[in-house]
């Protein structure tokens, strides 16, 4: 990752819940990937970032969006991102405490790269962080 | 008892009155005497129940005929026959015809006692027959009125039944919607409960992974207790969630291979099966029309119960088999759906007293302490709900120390309007 200084951040996490942010942060720190992750609290912040700093320093490779958020939820965020051609290369990943098969199908149809259920154990969160790291690494070194 | 018949005697001469009375006395009549036409009219103002009037034609002031005319002017008196006592025979007879024709007769003076008795007897008989007819008519009228009342009442009660019926349907509908509401609530609540719970578990995990060396033994015990409770709560919430989804499920009925589903379940419980050295024998089950998505939780719960409630000393033996049975339906309409498939799941576990056979299907009903056998208390309630969604039934036979046999009975075919069956039945039963 270090040989890619253009990209300010390779992954953006949009999560309104401080605890869930903390869990991911802990996991990314553990695998040494945290410096590549930007944490935002809402979809509003995400679009502000993408419009201003994002267009200067480049877009992230992936955005992990929490499904259940106030104001604009994961699905609405996904739709709004997909409306803008500038963001068409960004992979959108949705995650949630519970998510039904039907919801997953809808989200994938809307263009989500993947849908994930929030884990109950710290070690599984670390595995999830590693999985995200590899997914991004593949995209970066493609 | 025969009513004494009343006769009105009208004559201006007392001796005539007395002689007529003495002639008729043996007939057992009651006599009312009037000394003039005017007096007769006066009597008739207060009494009208005379079988007959015997009237002298020749009377001063008002003659017999004039009196009769005045009597017959009154509607109520028209049915009382009059016998005129005439002095001049046939000539006089024709005079009254000018006034009126009707129940009128004549007898000439001097009065022949036998003839008088005979004539009076004829009229008296006529009167009593008339009276009988009248009473009969009254009785008929009363019966008719009763009948009308009865019809009215019946119509009223029919109305009431219809009203009750309508209320019943309304109640069923509101119950159904309340049920749906409740399920939605259960779904939302369990969904929202999962989030804080997930955090409790994750923080516990982090505590164990990262800070355990800073915690003494007592603290470690507390942490493990928190973990256990949180894990239990998670199972509970998951079960409630599944339960609330069952009625929400609008799955279509489809041909289902239960053998494959049971094999999948056995694979899932591979670890427990090996641990308990369980021998599981599954005989082939015919394919059935089911809501496929619900078959896995149904049999998964029953199989996991069979594994869970085992005796420590003995190796676990579980048998699963099916049989087709035909039930006699009470309904007269020809129904092709009386073919059922009964699937039995028998274990050799601890069992329970048969008196609990109904209760075990109740929500949160547990027969054992959590310490001995863990569970959410929802599993069998869920099974029952799933089976009922298939218009089937579930029952259990059990004996302490000998094990339990759960029997799931499902229709081989499903009627098209499966969801409305229960409603329709109740409505029909209450129809008048």
């Amino acid at each position: 990752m270090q040989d890619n200084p253009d990209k300010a951040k390779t992954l953006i996490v949009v999560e309104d819940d401080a605890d869930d942010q903390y869990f991911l942060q802990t996991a990314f720190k553990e695998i040494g990937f945290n410096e590549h992750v930007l944490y935002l609290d809402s979809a509003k912040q995400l679009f502000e970032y993408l419009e201003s700093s994002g267009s200067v320093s480049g877009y992230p490779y992936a955005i992990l969006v929490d499904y259940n958020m106030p104001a604009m939820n994961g699905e609405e965020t996904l739709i709004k991102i997909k409306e803008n051609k500038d963001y068409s290369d960004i992979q959108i990943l949705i995650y949630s405490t519970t998510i039904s098969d039907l919801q997953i199908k809808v989200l994938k149809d809307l263009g989500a790269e993947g849908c994930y259920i929030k884990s109950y154990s710290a070690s599984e969160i670390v595995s999830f962080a590693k999985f995200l790291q590899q997914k991004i690494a593949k995209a970066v070194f493609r | 008892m025969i009513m004494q018949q009343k006769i009105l005697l009208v004559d201006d001469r007392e001796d005539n009155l007395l002689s007529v009375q003495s002639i008729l006395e043996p007939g057992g009549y009651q006599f009312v005497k009037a000394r003039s036409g005017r007096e007769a009219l006066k009597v008739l103002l207060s009494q009208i129940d005379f079988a007959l009037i015997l009237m002298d034609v020749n009377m001063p002031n008002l003659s017999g005929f004039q009196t009769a005319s005045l009597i017959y002017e009154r509607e109520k008196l028209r049915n009382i026959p009059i016998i005129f006592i005439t002095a001049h025979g046939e000539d006089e007879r024709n005079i009254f015809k000018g006034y009126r024709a009707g129940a009128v007769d004549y007898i000439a003076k001097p009065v022949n006692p036998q003839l008088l008795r005979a004539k009076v007897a004829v009229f008296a008989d006529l009167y009593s027959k008339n009276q009988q007819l009248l009473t009969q008519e009254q009785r008929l009228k009363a019966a008719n009125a009763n009948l009308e009342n009865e019809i009215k009442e019946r119509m009223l009660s029919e109305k009431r039944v219809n009203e009750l019926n309508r209320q019943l349907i309304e109640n069923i509908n509101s119950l159904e919607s309340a049920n749906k509401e409740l399920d939605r609530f259960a779904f939302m609540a369990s969904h929202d409960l999962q989030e804080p719970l997930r955090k409790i578990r994750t923080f516990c995990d982090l505590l164990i992974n990262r800070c355990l060396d800073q915690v003494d033994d007592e603290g470690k015990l507390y942490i493990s207790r928190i973990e256990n409770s949180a894990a239990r709560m998670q199972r509970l919430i998951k079960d409630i969630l599944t339960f609330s989804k069952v009625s929400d499920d609008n799955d279509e009925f489809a041909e289902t291979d239960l053998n494959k589903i049971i094999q999948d379940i056995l694979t899932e419980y591979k670890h427990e099966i090996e641990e308990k050295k369980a021998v599981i024998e599954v005989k082939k089950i015919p394919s059935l029309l089911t809501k496929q998505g619900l078959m896995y939780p149904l049999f998964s719960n029953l199989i996991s119960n069979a594994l869970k409630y085992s005796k420590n000393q003995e190796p676990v033996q579980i048998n699963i088999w099916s049989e087709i049975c035909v039930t006699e339906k009470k309904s007269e309409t020809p129904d092709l759906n009386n073919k059922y498939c009964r699937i039995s799941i028998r274990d050799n576990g601890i069992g329970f007293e048969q008196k609990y056979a109904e209760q075990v299907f109740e929500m949160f009903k547990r027969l054992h302490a959590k310490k001995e056998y863990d569970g959410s208390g929802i599993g069998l309630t869920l099974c029952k709900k799933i089976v009922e969604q298939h218009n089937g039934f579930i029952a259990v036979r059990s004996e302490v120390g000998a094990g339990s046999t759960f029997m799931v009975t499902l229709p081989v075919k499903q009627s098209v309007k499966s969801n409305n069956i229960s409603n329709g039945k109740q409505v029909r039963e209450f129809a008048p």
Side-chain angles (χ1 to χ4, degrees):
Chain A
M1 294 300 142
Q2 281 79 358
D3 46 12
N4 190 30
D6 290 351
K7 295 276 172 194
K9 297 290 177 188
T10 50
L11 172 68
I12 295 179
V13 172
V14 185
E15 168 66 83
D16 64 302
D17 189 295
D19 292 331
D20 280 328
Q21 271 196 26
Y22 177 80
F23 292 147
L24 281 173
Q25 220 163 1
T26 316
F28 280 126
K29 272 182 193 158
E30 194 173 313
I31 62 167
F33 191 69
N34 199 42
E35 60 194 276
H36 301 281
V37 184
L38 173 67
Y39 300 91
L40 299 174
D41 298 334
S42 67
K44 189 170 169 278
Q45 281 185 12
L46 172 70
F47 288 108
E48 279 168 9
Y49 173 84
L50 290 176
E51 276 156 31
S52 58
S53 39
S55 56
V56 178
S57 53
Y59 298 122
Y61 281 107
I63 304 172
L64 179 66
V65 187
D66 178 30
Y67 187 87
N68 291 307
M69 287 190 298
M72 190 185 266
N73 72 14
E75 187 177 315
E76 291 159 335
T77 311
L78 171 67
I79 292 170
K80 197 172 173 194
I81 293 171
K82 290 294 167 191
E83 274 170 6
N84 192 328
K85 277 194 182 133
D86 293 348
Y87 310 147
S88 57
D89 287 341
I90 309 173
Q91 293 189 359
I92 312 297
L93 314 167
I94 309 277
Y95 81 139
S96 178
T97 305
T98 48
I99 197 159
S100 70
D101 290 347
L102 184 71
Q103 275 173 316
I104 290 175
K105 197 184 169 306
V106 169
L107 292 168
K108 292 233 167 121
D109 284 350
L110 287 171
E113 179 72 20
C115 297
Y116 311 97
I117 289 174
K118 289 179 181 177
S119 166
Y120 277 71
S121 88
S123 60
E124 275 177 37
I125 297 174
V126 171
S127 311
F128 181 56
K130 272 186 195 151
F131 163 80
L132 290 177
Q133 182 190 27
Q134 278 161 16
K135 201 172 173 61
I136 290 161
K138 256 190 219 163
V140 171
F141 299 116
R142 186 165 48 191
Chain B
M1 188 189 121
I2 297 162
M3 276 262 292
Q4 208 179 17
Q5 292 185 336
K6 279 166 81 176
I7 296 177
L8 179 61
L9 304 176
V10 191
D11 204 312
D12 54 320
R13 287 176 52 182
E14 185 71 28
D15 55 336
N16 279 347
L17 286 173
L18 278 173
S19 79
V20 169
Q21 188 179 352
S22 63
I23 291 167
L24 295 176
E25 202 100 71
Y29 309 106
Q30 187 194 339
F31 300 99
V32 176
K33 284 173 272 185
R35 295 290 298 275
S36 66
R38 213 166 287 281
E39 203 185 320
L41 290 171
K42 215 168 141 192
V43 168
L44 287 166
L45 281 178
S46 57
Q47 302 175 48
I48 57 165
D49 53 340
F50 290 101
L52 176 67
I53 300 170
L54 265 171
M55 184 139 59
D56 185 22
V57 174
N58 284 313
M59 286 187 296
N61 298 323
L62 271 178
S63 77
F65 290 149
Q66 286 169 323
T67 310
S69 300
L70 290 170
I71 288 171
Y72 284 153
E73 266 175 27
R74 284 181 61 198
E75 176 80 41
K76 280 182 178 173
L77 303 175
R78 260 174 216 169
N79 293 321
I80 305 177
I82 300 174
I83 299 177
F84 293 108
I85 299 167
T86 62
H88 307 291
E90 289 295 323
D91 301 343
E92 269 182 341
R93 293 190 181 196
N94 297 321
I95 300 169
F96 193 66
K97 278 183 188 159
Y99 295 103
R100 177 196 180 265
V104 182
D105 207 348
Y106 306 87
I107 193 158
K109 281 180 185 174
V111 171
N112 176 336
Q114 265 181 320
L115 187 64
L116 180 64
R117 272 191 218 114
K119 284 199 174 191
V120 168
V122 168
F123 281 110
D125 191 42
L126 202 70
Y127 177 79
S128 81
K129 285 206 172 119
N130 230 338
Q131 285 308 107
Q132 275 174 18
L133 276 175
L134 275 175
T135 17
Q136 258 171 26
E137 192 189 334
Q138 262 165 14
R139 224 176 283 150
L140 274 174
K141 269 186 186 161
N144 213 3
N146 271 346
L147 215 66
E148 266 172 29
N149 268 344
E150 221 165 273
I151 289 170
K152 243 185 230 164
E153 256 167 51
R154 211 172 271 194
M155 274 163 75
L156 265 179
S157 68
E158 196 180 313
K159 234 187 202 171
R160 235 171 286 143
V161 169
N162 282 341
E163 173 63 15
L164 283 176
N165 222 349
R166 196 190 56 74
Q167 280 177 3
L168 195 74
I169 293 171
E170 218 168 71
N171 283 349
I172 291 171
N173 286 344
S174 74
L175 262 177
E176 265 177 7
S177 78
N179 246 340
K180 271 194 194 129
E181 201 66 24
L182 211 67
D183 280 337
R184 208 165 350 186
F185 168 77
F187 179 79
M188 290 310 293
S190 41
H191 185 272
D192 287 350
L193 286 171
Q194 280 190 81
E195 204 149 299
L197 183 64
R198 181 172 51 77
K199 288 179 187 171
I200 293 171
R201 292 206 71 187
T202 312
F203 276 119
C204 257
D205 232 23
L206 285 174
L207 197 60
I208 294 165
N209 288 352
R210 294 167 172 254
C211 321
L212 210 59
D213 45 347
Q214 298 161 45
V215 179
D216 63 8
D217 284 350
E218 208 176 348
K220 281 173 192 163
L221 179 72
Y222 295 162
I223 293 170
S224 79
R225 290 282 163 91
I226 294 171
E227 253 208 319
N228 283 341
S229 288
R232 200 180 126 62
M233 183 155 177
Q234 192 187 342
R235 258 201 315 280
L236 244 149
I237 290 173
K238 200 178 132 240
D239 283 354
I240 294 177
L241 205 59
T242 319
F243 186 80
S244 71
K245 273 189 197 154
V246 169
S247 52
D248 210 41
D249 207 56
N250 288 322
D251 249 8
E252 292 290 314
F253 286 104
E255 203 80 21
T256 312
D257 181 8
L258 291 173
N259 304 290
K260 184 174 181 308
I261 288 174
I262 288 174
Q263 283 313 316
D264 288 349
I265 295 166
L266 294 181
T267 313
E268 191 199 325
Y269 288 113
K270 206 175 159 203
H271 178 70
E272 284 90 338
I273 290 168
E274 278 168 8
E275 199 175 79
K276 299 222 171 188
K277 295 192 178 64
V279 177
I280 300 175
E281 234 176 82
V282 187
K283 293 239 172 76
K284 194 165 160 39
I285 298 167
S287 111
L288 298 171
L289 275 182
T290 72
K291 296 183 173 181
Q292 283 182 314
L294 300 180
M295 287 299 105
Y296 196 96
L298 170 63
F299 287 102
S300 169
N301 267 300
L302 293 173
I303 291 170
S304 94
N305 275 353
L307 282 168
K308 184 161 55 179
Y309 296 106
S310 62
K311 286 180 278 197
N312 286 330
Q313 320 84 300
E314 273 175 59
V316 175
Q317 167 82 34
I318 297 172
N319 290 74
I320 302 172
W321 74 95
S322 71
E323 56 217 302
I324 296 286
C325 45
V326 178
T327 59
E328 293 292 324
K329 279 222 166 173
K330 281 172 202 152
S331 73
E332 288 152 27
T333 47
D335 197 336
L336 299 169
N337 300 332
N338 59 345
K339 246 171 109 184
Y340 284 82
C341 180
R342 184 161 71 203
I343 303 158
S344 304
I345 296 117
R346 184 177 68 203
D347 64 55
N348 62 342
I350 53 170
F352 54 84
E353 284 179 64
Q354 185 64 27
K355 67 175 177 185
Y356 295 118
E358 300 266 338
Q359 288 181 38
V360 292
F361 296 106
E362 284 169 25
M363 182 81 101
F364 301 127
K365 190 85 206 176
R366 296 173 44 82
L367 300 179
H368 303 280
K370 276 174 223 138
K371 235 195 327 197
E372 297 173 277
Y373 297 96
D374 195 14
S376 65
I378 297 171
L380 285 176
T381 315
L382 177 70
C383 290
K384 190 172 180 215
K385 198 171 176 186
I386 292 172
V387 171
E388 280 171 358
Q389 286 245 323
H390 286 79
N391 306 311
F393 30 92
I394 188 167
V396 61
R397 221 173 287 138
S398 192
E399 197 185 319
V400 176
S404 307
T405 307
F406 280 87
M407 288 155 290
V408 171
T409 311
L410 298 173
V412 172
K413 286 179 186 156
Q414 292 287 345
S415 56
V416 187
K417 287 180 187 168
S418 59
N419 289 332
N420 296 329
I421 269 188
S422 58
N423 286 2
K425 206 183 268 170
Q426 288 182 42
V427 172
R428 268 204 302 281
E429 276 170 11
F430 281 87

